[in-house]
Amino acid sequence: LKLQFLYLIGPALHTMRQGLRQALCARACWGRTSASQAPPGDGGAGETHFGNQQVKTEAKQGMVHEVFEKVSGNYDIMNDAMSAGLHRCWKDELIKKLNPELGKDYLDVAGGSGDVTFRILDALNEKAMMTPPLSYKDGSITISDINAHMLEQAEIRYLDRKKPTDAVELAFKEANAEALPFDDNSFDAYTIAFGIRNVTNVQKALEEAHRVLRPGGHLLVLEFSNVENPTLRMFYDAYSFNVIPVMGKVLANDWDSYQYLVESIRKFPNQDTFADMIRTAGFRGVAYENQTFGVCAIHSGWKI
């Protein structure tokens, strides 16, 4: 398998080296990419993008669902392939910014196999060990995902790690981020990691996040973003388009899903454009922080 993998990625690595040389030679001629430049937009009325394809808006949800049906059993491998393993560090940084507190209600949307959810639980468990049990009210953590198979993976992982001393029990809910089955003002914090770019109507999902959060509630979005440095972007693009699909084929026998996931990153709004969308949804105090040169960014907003 290792020999097969090296054989397959050999041409890709050669392409990456060529691209990097070209970038270094041309760097003096390239200007800085405008942070406000919008990504390629949707097609005509009733159309949206699915990776690089233009599809009917009503068809995208089913197509994305099919992708995650395929990758659900290898979701953690997928995250490692997409980020070269760095997704763990980025999620840790997300939890630092969230700073979970006992007695509050948390919603993790597009929760996948539970990486962010379990980090929230671990942070609460750590605080509960140092806090008298009667000094705080019961809180909650809800993980939601539109894909039942993804939720099943999270539940399996939860049963393997569940302890009687957990500060809270997890709740699992199959749900669409654009139409959450929760009352207004239900949660103190809303997190979504590497999920919002797969939503058909991103603005609607942000509006739903605002609706279900209580006043003072915190929105945190971790998503792949725009690498602005031309040299780094050349290297990153070469890795993304030439290596990641090959890794998907070798590790999960699935080229197409990984190709879509790479393309979906390039179609997602850049940092400033997405921050404006968060403001349009009603959030205030909106800010973002790039991670690893803008490979991804953590966006933050508050419901006032």
Side-chain angles (χ1 to χ4, degrees), residues 226-246:
N226 179 53
V227 177
E228 294 184 0
N229 182 283
T231 302
L232 293 176
R233 186 170 63 249
M234 176 70 80
F235 184 82
Y236 178 52
D237 284 348
Y239 173 79
S240 297
F241 286 100
N242 293 287
V243 176
I244 290 176
V246 175

Side-chain angles (χ1 to χ4, degrees), residues 109-110 192-199 222-223:
V109 177
I192 181 167
F194 305 121
I196 202 161
R197 76 180 188 280
N198 297 306
V199 172
L222 171 62
E223 189 53 85

